[in-house]
Amino acid sequence: MAPDDRPLEVELKLAATAEAIDTLIDAKLLNDHAEAPAVARDLVTIYYDTPDRRLSRRKLALRVRRVGRRHIQTLKTANESNGASLRRGEWEVELEGSHPDLAAFGDPAVLELTGLVLPDELEPVYETRFKRRALTVSWAAKPAAPALIEVAFDQGRIQAGSHRMPLSEIELELKSGSAAPLFEVAEALRGVAPLRLQTQDKSARGHALAAGTPPEWRKADSVGLHPGMRVDDAVHAILGGCVRHWLDNEAATADARDPEGLHQLRVALRRLRSAMSLMKPAISPPVRDRWNDELRWLLGPLGPARDLDVFVTETLAPVREANPDDPDLGALIELAEDRRAQAHHTVRETLASERYGDLAFTFACWVGRSGWCRIDDIDARVLQREPITGFADAILAKRYRKARKQGRGFEHLAAEDRHELRIAMKKLRYGAEFFGDLYPGKDTGAFRKAASRMQDVLGHMNDVAVARHVVDDLLEDVPSGARQRSAALGAGQVIGWYKRQAQDLEPEARELWRAFRSHDPFWNAPDET
């Protein structure tokens, strides 16, 4: 079965307090649009996997839900959509008993996804117990026809052995129609009671609870543009992909046990700001400026935390390995670890703040309902209906010319100029990632690899400046005395180490710049140089 032929579930999840749920379940807003009164059910769901967690590794969730005397078995795939909503494959079948049976689906595509799993291999991993109160509403997103959306209010818990986690959320599931009304309903509900986006589904939370592991972090997926798209379709796909990348890493960032979560969240936001810049002719300037201001605010506390993560886990590691018993390095590491913990505390406070909740919710909904299409800017509206290919050609050519110009006389560029070149290369790389699928048959991979390698070597050479900035900040707040002097001596070792590293990288950097300049652009523009 082809991916597009799979039965699909499209839903949006919202975290809600018990008070918010009590307010919303009886809200006139919903009842005026309801097809019938709300129905309440107590649901017990057990999630299964093999002892070696083969289904989880394949990004699959297998569950058996007891509904009254019935047992409903469901298999869900990983999220396949962009943006805040979840779009994933879903198979469902009623069982005669309570034990899972993959063969009961009667669909070869299921067995292809799961691989060979014998019935006696499946074991309970965790369960959910909650009361669901659900109703279906009819909601029209102008100018589209009404969509049917199930609004489910879930309250209960997730349990894995002796470990428990409260569950209080609202699921909006699209039953028919376009997805835009999901976001309109979410915004309308949030106008009645406080809500936040729920960035992890029940299965992700359950597996983490059972395994005692941090939430998973994720890299960005391919945007999946194709040459037949219009500019507005491409804007939706690119911004939606950035939002998905952002939300997929929110939980891992707040958890902070794996520093890659914060790194990926920061990359997601930088890609998002770059995308807003790339697509700016198609987005109203006041709207774009508003979002950029908010995204810049969010990036503020992430930068120091990320710098300290890199400093502690990467920058200091080789120096410490070469001098494991050096007391001065030990003093510097102690200062860095303390400051790092403070920086992550600030990040957690930021993600828990009302301002962040507002930003994530409103931006995701703006993207979900294609808010840039609902503007009075005639020029932008006309451009949105143009084919994406010519637009992408012009954007990539512009980014390429800027990077080439920034790198003129590379061998003689000062550190500040090379920093500006690194930023230009990063923006070009993001553009190539966003638009690369528009050029099938072209050697986009080689160009992107050359740009990425050039950006990476410039980043390594920039480590000296970053390390100096970090140690200056660390030493600034330490009172004068033996501890400060010792840490300063340790800092001198680190800076000296990386100065030598940067000098050693110089021949490689020059060669990579020549290699990058030798690659022909893959887009269809007449004047790239």
Side-chain angles (χ1 to χ4, degrees), residues 254-402:
D255 179 87
R257 277 180 284 175
D258 189 335
E260 189 64 19
L262 183 144
H263 174 52
Q264 289 299 323
L265 176 57
R266 192 162 173 248
V267 169
L269 296 172
R270 285 181 159 184
R271 291 177 86 246
L272 180 52
R273 290 192 69 206
S274 183
M276 295 284 283
S277 177
L278 285 169
M279 310 303 285
K280 66 182 179 182
I283 303 174
S284 176
V287 175
R288 187 179 66 248
D289 292 345
R290 169 203 166 193
W291 291 129
N292 270 326
D293 287 345
E294 286 299 289
L295 294 171
R296 189 181 301 112
W297 162 79
L298 177 55
L299 280 164
L302 303 185
R306 174 58 184 167
D307 287 346
L308 285 159
D309 280 345
V310 173
F311 188 73
V312 169
T313 64
E314 298 177 24
T315 304
L316 289 174
V319 189
R320 186 59 163 170
E321 185 178 353
N323 303 279
D325 300 319
D326 189 287
D328 298 327
L329 280 175
L332 180 64
I333 291 170
E334 184 180 337
L335 283 179
E337 289 282 15
D338 289 346
R339 185 67 63 82
R340 184 186 182 200
Q342 294 170 18
H344 277 278
H345 178 72
T346 300
V347 169
R348 283 192 295 273
E349 286 186 327
T350 300
L351 296 183
S353 69
E354 183 177 352
R355 183 174 179 179
Y356 172 79
D358 287 344
L359 171 58
F361 193 102
T362 56
F363 189 84
C365 287
W366 179 74
V367 172
R369 56 179 173 77
S370 299
W372 55 88
C373 292
R374 306 179 186 188
I375 56 175
D376 297 326
D377 188 325
I378 300 300
D379 291 339
R381 293 291 297 273
V382 170
L383 178 60
Q384 289 167 7
R385 290 165 172 75
E386 294 291 323
I388 184 57
T389 48
F391 181 88
D393 289 340
I395 294 297
L396 289 170
K398 179 180 177 181
R399 293 289 189 187
Y400 182 61
R401 286 194 298 268
K402 185 167 185 178

Side-chain angles (χ1 to χ4, degrees), residues 443-465:
D443 192 8
T444 62
F447 184 93
R448 287 165 58 177
K449 184 176 180 180
S452 177
R453 292 180 67 188
M454 189 66 225
Q455 182 190 338
D456 287 344
V457 76
L458 289 170
H460 290 314
M461 298 181 80
N462 191 54
D463 284 344
V464 176

Side-chain angles (χ1 to χ4, degrees), residues 120-159:
D120 59 1
E121 287 187 280
L122 293 169
E123 63 181 19
V125 181
Y126 58 94
E127 67 179 42
T128 61
R129 292 175 175 266
F130 56 89
K131 178 185 287 292
R132 166 164 288 180
R133 291 173 285 176
L135 70 163
T136 299
V137 300
S138 175
W139 201 277
K142 296 178 181 180
L148 288 181
I149 298 168
E150 182 184 73
V151 184
F153 300 86
D154 295 343
Q155 290 178 282
R157 69 177 185 270
I158 303 173
Q159 184 169 336

